[in-house]
Amino acid sequence: DRAVKALEAYDVVLLMETFDEEDQSAWLSDVMGVPRDANFALHKKHASNSVVQKSNKREKTHFYRDLFRKVAPSALTKLEYDNELEVAFFESAVEINKMKTGQWKREVVFQSSQS
C-alpha cells in the first residue's frame, strides 16, 4: 500500500511494455519539454525487454508466462506464488499509468482548446 502511494506521487509512471506507444512517447516528451518528433523519442526507439521479438500486446506482457504454462506449469505456479506482491504492484502501476496518461490527455485537450 505504501509502495503504491509512493508510485502515485510521481508525475509520470511509464511501463517498458508501453514505450513504443505514441501517446506514452508524446506524454514523456511533453513532460520533459522536448519535441515529440525528436530522434530520441521513445516511439522511435522500439524498446525491447528481451531478446525475443514480441508481435502483439499480449506477447509483451504474457510471453514467458504463456511459455511456462506450456512447458512447466508447476514452475509457473511457484513463480506466481513467490512473486504475488510484485505482480500486484505491477498491476497497480498499469492502473496508475492509465490514470496519469488520461490526466495528461485531458490537459492537452484543455490547453489546445484555450489556444
Side-chain angles (χ1 to χ4, degrees):
D1 194 42
R2 266 188 0 201
V4 172
K5 290 199 182 311
L7 196 58
E8 289 172 339
Y10 284 96
D11 292 333
V12 177
V13 176
L14 296 173
L15 307 168
M16 287 286 298
E17 292 80 5
T18 62
F19 272 8
D20 58 349
E21 294 177 11
E22 281 282 337
D23 65 342
Q24 297 293 295
S25 180
W27 179 29
L28 184 61
S29 293
D30 286 358
V31 168
M32 300 300 290
V34 298
R36 292 183 182 183
D37 62 350
N39 288 338
F40 53 85
L42 287 179
H43 72 276
K44 293 183 177 184
K45 291 300 175 190
H46 305 290
S48 175
N49 62 354
S50 71
V51 190
V52 178
Q53 291 291 12
K54 315 289 192 319
S55 61
N56 60 50
K57 196 165 189 153
R58 176 166 175 85
E59 283 186 356
K60 286 182 182 181
T61 57
H62 291 77
F63 181 83
Y64 292 106
R65 189 178 315 165
D66 291 345
L67 180 64
F68 265 89
R69 188 167 282 117
K70 288 178 186 174
V71 299
S74 62
L76 177 62
T77 301
K78 174 125 175 73
L79 284 169
E80 287 175 336
Y81 176 79
D82 289 348
N83 293 289
E84 184 177 356
L85 292 175
E86 287 87 351
V87 170
F89 183 67
F90 178 77
E91 289 169 355
S92 295
V94 169
E95 291 306 311
I96 292 167
N97 171 273
K98 288 177 187 174
M99 178 190 68
K100 291 188 177 285
T101 301
Q103 288 173 338
W104 164 77
K105 286 179 181 179
R106 287 188 297 280
E107 289 172 11
V108 168
V109 168
F110 176 76
Q111 290 169 356
S112 64
S113 72
Q114 299 298 307
S115 304

